[in-house]
Amino acid sequence: MSFLKKLFGGGSNDNRAAEPRVAAEETYEGFRIAATPVPEGGQYRLTAVITKEIDGETKTHRLIRADLFPSEDEAAQFALRKARQVIDEQGERLFAE
């Protein structure tokens, strides 16, 4: 029975997905960028979290790209670069619902 619990998520909370690790962060044009590369198949997927406080409310956008890199550091640096590009192109529209 414990095998089925583990397989279908009925086990303990120890198997919960961990919060992504922030590998690098910066502030750009009033936005906070946190690069959070995700390990995948021996490489790292480019992901980042972009946040900004607007009218007293913290808005968040999760950036996930298909790009894979051989190292966490390289993925983090490209994530910061891509997030800056997205901010330049979209600004606060990034948070439009």
Side-chain angles (χ1 to χ4, degrees), residues 31 61 63 83-96:
F31 293 79
H61 176 79
L63 176 69
R84 289 190 299 265
Q85 179 184 356
V86 168
I87 290 166
D88 288 342
E89 291 172 355
Q90 298 183 33
E92 290 182 5
R93 290 178 299 156
L94 184 64
F95 306 115

Side-chain angles (χ1 to χ4, degrees), residues 9-96:
S12 70
N13 288 336
D14 295 338
N15 294 330
R16 289 178 287 168
E19 287 294 315
R21 187 180 94 72
V22 176
E25 59 187 329
E26 69 178 38
T27 300
Y28 178 75
E29 301 291 330
F31 293 79
R32 182 179 170 274
I33 305 168
T36 56
V38 175
E40 187 174 311
Q43 296 184 324
Y44 291 86
R45 180 163 309 281
L46 185 156
T47 64
V49 178
I50 303 170
T51 58
K52 183 174 184 178
E53 188 171 317
I54 301 171
D55 297 329
E57 182 181 350
T58 301
K59 302 283 190 169
T60 302
H61 176 79
R62 184 139 171 89
L63 176 69
I64 302 172
R65 303 280 301 170
D67 307 289
L68 295 172
F69 297 89
S71 73
E72 181 181 44
D73 185 54
E74 190 175 359
Q77 294 310 308
F78 275 92
L80 294 175
R81 183 182 304 166
K82 186 62 177 177
R84 289 190 299 265
Q85 179 184 356
V86 168
I87 290 166
D88 288 342
E89 291 172 355
Q90 298 183 33
E92 290 182 5
R93 290 178 299 156
L94 184 64
F95 306 115

